[in-house]
Amino acid sequence: KANVTNIKLKPNNYLDAKKTSLAVPIAALLSTFELPALAVTGVNNEPDLITVIIQIGIIAFGYFLIVPPIIMNWLRIRWYRRNLLEMYLQFMCVFLFFPGLLLWAPFLNFRKFPRDKSLKYPWDTPKDPSQVKNAYLKYPFAKPEDYDW
């Protein structure tokens, strides 16, 4: 049979009790900092649902319908004249507004019409292909003005 007097206490038990007794004052100190912050940042001025929906609608309207055609026109106008910084800004905008550009891509067509005035559409084939002037030969020596109409 075990005798109660034979139980020996480890010398570290006193230190463990001291550590756990510090937990309560530390928790009280932390709670004094948390509760005033909760009072200030709590649900004091919560916006109503209609206001949030209107704000999201305005942002979505600009994101999907207004900005993408502007970016596509900017790309079309400055394609052969841009420097490195402008190209970086253009493709950063393409990356940011990619869903809106995908929505507009089927409807905006910036391909140039053929130089032969007898052709109505870019996909038409000329009757005499040797008479159509081709601008591809000037590519290595082209200047930005060569690509204008």
Side-chain angles (χ1 to χ4, degrees), residues 47-62:
D48 58 333
L49 183 62
I50 301 299
T51 306
V52 172
I53 290 174
I54 290 172
Q55 290 172 351
I56 290 173
I58 291 170
I59 292 170
F61 181 76

Side-chain angles (χ1 to χ4, degrees), residues 38-87:
L38 181 62
V40 172
T41 61
V43 187
N44 294 331
N45 297 323
E46 183 177 356
D48 58 333
L49 183 62
I50 301 299
T51 306
V52 172
I53 290 174
I54 290 172
Q55 290 172 351
I56 290 173
I58 291 170
I59 292 170
F61 181 76
Y63 183 80
F64 287 111
L65 297 177
I66 301 298
V67 178
I70 294 170
I71 293 172
M72 291 177 85
N73 191 41
W74 181 29
L75 287 167
R76 179 185 65 87
I77 291 171
R78 298 289 298 174
W79 190 263
Y80 294 107
R81 292 181 179 86
R82 60 190 179 193
N83 56 15
L84 184 64
L85 178 64
E86 187 176 7
M87 184 170 49

